[in-house]
Amino acid sequence: MASNQTVDDLLGECQRLAEAGRLSEAITKLTRAAEADGHPAVLFMLGNYEKAAGRTENAAKRFRAVLHLMPEAPEPRVNLANSLTELGAYDEAEKLLREGLQRQPDSPDLLFSLAVTAGFREDWEQAEVMYRRILDAAPDYPNAVANLA
């Protein structure tokens, strides 16, 4: 990040790059900024872009770093768990999500990710329980009804 560039400016620039199909360039800029100051928003965007680029292991490292800096925030926890699920680390993903649910028991994002993880494990009963909890907590949550059908 240039010394006169704010984090918001960098994030905006990288979003424009990614939207223009220049994801690799956005990742390079974010990586430099993350190495320089490790701002959680930079790490989070970098994780999302690395995941979009198919670099799930790198994305998981970024989300883990954000979670370390912001342990109460559900977004890095969800993104880390989703990355771990993609990598086949179901136990770790489930543990992270259950820890998050202890803090926020009605979080539809945490519940949805736990349902997805259960689906990857082919634990359809657990997935159904999570989808029903989502509907109780947030009846309009996208995909919950469709996944119960």
Side-chain angles (χ1 to χ4, degrees):
M1 182 164 52
S3 60
N4 61 347
Q5 187 178 37
T6 69
V7 169
D8 287 340
D9 291 340
L10 173 70
L11 297 177
E13 177 186 357
C14 290
Q15 182 175 353
R16 287 186 294 280
L17 287 169
E19 289 170 354
R22 297 165 58 191
L23 188 59
S24 178
E25 192 176 336
I27 289 171
T28 298
K29 285 182 175 286
L30 289 165
T31 300
R32 286 187 193 129
E35 290 169 354
D37 76 355
H39 191 283
V42 171
L43 290 165
F44 189 75
M45 181 178 270
L46 178 56
N48 283 321
Y49 287 174
E50 286 186 316
K51 191 166 183 202
R55 302 176 192 165
T56 307
E57 287 184 29
N58 287 347
K61 290 176 190 174
R62 305 304 183 180
F63 296 136
R64 191 179 305 282
V66 177
L67 186 59
H68 178 74
L69 296 169
M70 303 173 62
E72 299 300 319
E75 295 85 358
R77 183 177 301 276
V78 165
N79 287 19
L80 174 56
N82 291 344
S83 296
L84 292 169
T85 296
E86 284 184 31
L87 293 169
Y90 306 131
D91 290 341
E92 186 178 359
E94 185 175 331
K95 181 180 180 226
L96 277 168
L97 294 166
R98 291 197 182 280
E99 288 170 358
L101 285 170
Q102 288 176 353
R103 295 181 176 104
Q104 299 171 314
D106 294 328
S107 167
D109 292 334
L110 292 167
L111 291 166
F112 186 79
S113 291
L114 194 53
V116 169
T117 300
F120 270 89
R121 287 182 170 203
E122 298 184 6
D123 184 350
W124 309 119
E125 194 173 304
Q126 177 67 18
E128 181 179 351
V129 167
M130 293 300 111
Y131 289 127
R132 291 195 185 285
R133 282 186 61 189
I134 293 167
L135 291 175
D136 289 341
D140 296 332
Y141 191 81
N143 298 322
V145 174
N147 282 297
L148 267 174

